[in-house]
Amino acid sequence: MARLAVKLILLDADDRVLLIHAKDPKSQSKCWYPVGGGVEPDESLQSAAAREAHEETGLVDLPVGTPVWRRDHRYEFNGQAFDVHEEWLLHRVEHFSPAPAALSEYETRTILGFRWWTSQELLTTIETIFPPQLGQLLAEVRDES
């Protein structure tokens, strides 16, 4: 059964999204992905989003997010495969410098840093972005909001 996860599109006033840079400990490949993670059994999506934003970026008082996408996905990391059902929320935030507040030991070993990206940068980069279509999805969301 797929694990429920929440993914956060943290958009600043310049429509840049915050992504995490990480390295797979097994394959050594590097990628960029949005803030987010698993939803605990007793959590709402919004509560999980606020917890993940605080743990991974230090952000407090996360504004309520708007649901924008959902997907079922299988990914591999550190030699293991994971099935997840992702609920994506868009949060408009003030630009900030991420300072993780409560990374797990595993996250501490894999996270290399953070960067704010424009949809155009995501569309043209040669870096590995997850999901690969994030630049297009971000452009669509920006145009609709």
Side-chain angles (χ1 to χ4, degrees):
M1 184 166 133
R3 179 165 188 207
L4 178 59
V6 64
K7 290 294 188 177
L8 286 61
I9 301 296
L10 299 177
L11 273 189
D12 71 8
D14 294 323
D15 287 330
R16 293 176 296 184
V17 63
L18 181 64
L19 297 182
I20 298 171
H21 194 205
K23 181 166 70 171
D24 186 310
K26 189 159 187 109
S27 71
Q28 299 299 302
S29 62
K30 295 178 183 175
C31 66
W32 294 89
Y33 61 86
V35 172
V39 177
E40 300 301 329
D42 60 340
E43 278 185 313
S44 69
L45 286 178
Q46 299 290 341
S47 295
R51 177 183 50 76
E52 288 289 339
H54 182 256
E55 289 174 0
E56 293 180 353
T57 73
L59 183 64
V60 293
D61 299 325
L62 179 71
V64 172
T66 304
V68 289
W69 315 305
R70 61 174 35 132
R71 74 174 184 157
D72 291 309
H73 179 62
R74 180 180 186 90
Y75 70 95
E76 291 189 23
F77 196 79
N78 199 27
Q80 292 183 285
F82 301 91
D83 290 310
V84 291
H85 172 76
E86 297 173 342
E87 295 285 340
W88 289 70
L89 301 176
L90 172 67
H91 301 267
R92 289 280 181 179
V93 298
E94 296 291 322
H95 187 84
F96 67 97
S97 296
L103 294 180
S104 69
E105 184 266 329
Y106 181 74
E107 289 169 324
T108 300
R109 287 187 296 125
T110 61
I111 292 177
L112 303 173
F114 300 86
R115 178 177 162 191
W116 292 91
W117 294 76
T118 66
S119 59
Q120 187 59 41
E121 289 170 332
L122 291 172
L123 289 168
T124 58
T125 187
I126 60 170
E127 301 269 345
T128 302
I129 307 291
F130 289 116
Q133 68 275 29
L134 184 58
Q136 182 61 41
L137 295 170
L138 186 59
E140 291 168 11
V141 165
R142 185 195 63 230
D143 293 343
E144 292 170 8
S145 62

